[in-house]
Amino acid sequence: MAKRVDDRRIEGLDFARALAMFGMFIVNFGVVTGSTKNGLTWLVALQNLFEGRASAVFVMLAGIGTALMTRQARETKDPILLRKNRLTLWKRSLLLFVIGIVLYAVGWTGDILHYYGVYMFVAACLIAQSKKMMMFIIGVILILSQWLQIQFNYLAGWHPTYVLLEYLDFWTPAGFIRNLLFNGYHPLFPWICFFLIGMVIGSLDLTNRSLRKILSVMGLLLVIMTETFSTLFIKMTTIHFLDVESALYLFNTGPIPPNMMYVLSNSASAIVLIVGSIYLVETCKNKVIEALIFTGQLSLTHYVGHVFIGIGILIVFQKLENQTLAFSMLYACCYFVGCVLVSVWWRAKHCRGPLEFLMRKWSS
């Protein structure tokens, strides 16, 4: 078996990354097959549960990883080390951005990597900030994002017939910036909050079980509170002030639009899943969990692979339209199992996945 990449690595984060990737497969394969609403009620509810939450976990884990990578520089305030870490992050952000744009260019309009690269680029400028300042910045971004959603047309640029499926002016300067900052699938405002919250969590001692219990309880309470308040606000405002569509736009916890309630609820559920993953790996590690850890360590390779291979298979067998939700979920499960098997085989021979190796070489 290949030697572990880093003996200090918190493997629970890799396990959580694999779970997040699985959730993204379910969502993405459902979208490309046009099956998100074509299924039994409980399957539709399960699909909606993954929608937006899986990607949020993925981005938050990136923030945690960034904080862990830059810990020495942050703690020592060494300007040379800080500059070196920023340069590394900027190089990685550029590569992610380029890969994402390539995926978009070949037809994968649901790409997250080019957004992810911009989150990382911005976050690299903030690695020396205190936790209080980071929380202040997160609060400002949340308020600004909600204001933007109220002031401007969130559907600007989207095809009137294929709303949230086709962005008409993505390749123009104005359209690209609008999509990136405001109303794409994962716009900087407010999606960078997940990355920054991850950086705050990553600056804590995640090996401390007492701290993890506090995070879990706080996360659960915040999920309950935001989901409860969301329901109450929607019911109360539709009685006297707003129509149902406007109330849902402002207070729903779904990903479109990513309003304040959505960010708070999904941040909280992401924290619970991440902390739970760390605990599970520490207490119940076995061959299955180890295989999922390997899968999480190859998440970038698998994400790109699911576009070219996963969707490619669907194209070959002409399964891109009018499929059932049962089919897309079964396909997502089978494809994920394939990723797990490939990960175990690959990690027996190599320390990193192909794209993970490229990322390390490029940024070194």
Side-chain angles (χ1 to χ4, degrees), residues 178-317:
R178 187 197 315 115
N179 182 285
L180 178 67
L181 300 182
F182 173 56
N183 70 345
Y185 280 119
H186 312 95
L188 184 73
F189 296 100
W191 267 77
I192 194 174
C193 290
F194 295 120
F195 199 104
L196 299 181
I197 291 170
M199 288 179 65
V200 173
I201 294 172
S203 67
L204 305 174
D205 181 10
L206 293 176
T207 62
N208 186 319
R209 293 197 173 192
S210 297
L211 174 64
R212 295 206 304 259
K213 287 180 181 178
I214 294 172
L215 287 173
S216 296
V217 172
M218 290 177 60
L220 284 171
L221 289 176
L222 185 56
V223 170
I224 294 170
M225 288 173 59
T226 51
E227 293 295 331
T228 301
F229 287 150
S230 171
T231 302
L232 290 176
F233 289 160
I234 291 170
K235 288 184 177 180
M236 291 172 62
T237 55
T238 51
I239 294 175
H240 300 294
F241 306 106
L242 301 172
D243 57 80
V244 174
E245 185 178 352
S246 297
L248 290 172
Y249 184 87
L250 290 172
F251 305 119
N252 195 25
T253 56
I256 305 295
N259 57 39
M260 193 176 296
M261 285 293 187
Y262 165 76
V263 174
L264 292 175
S265 177
N266 283 260
S267 296
S269 60
I271 289 170
V272 172
L273 185 142
I274 290 167
V275 172
S277 295
I278 295 172
Y279 175 79
L280 183 66
V281 170
E282 284 186 353
T283 57
C284 307
K285 188 174 180 182
N286 53 38
K287 291 294 184 181
V288 173
I289 290 177
E290 185 177 45
L292 290 173
I293 289 170
F294 291 160
T295 306
Q297 291 171 356
L298 273 65
S299 58
L300 177 59
T301 296
H302 289 313
Y303 177 83
V304 174
H306 101 284
V307 175
F308 289 103
I309 301 173
I311 297 178
I313 293 172
L314 292 171
I315 293 173
V316 170
F317 288 97

Side-chain angles (χ1 to χ4, degrees), residues 21-80:
M21 188 172 64
F22 175 53
M24 291 172 71
F25 286 173
I26 288 178
V27 173
N28 293 346
F29 289 138
V31 170
V32 299
T33 57
S35 65
T36 53
K37 304 299 181 184
N38 185 20
L40 298 174
T41 303
W42 69 272
L43 282 178
V44 174
L46 184 61
Q47 175 85 5
N48 292 338
L49 181 65
F50 284 110
E51 189 174 357
R53 294 187 185 274
S55 298
V57 174
F58 197 67
V59 175
M60 189 176 290
L61 286 166
I64 294 174
T66 297
L68 294 174
M69 188 188 84
T70 59
R71 172 165 288 173
Q72 184 179 356
R74 287 185 292 102
E75 292 178 349
T76 62
K77 303 295 183 182
D78 183 342
I80 296 176

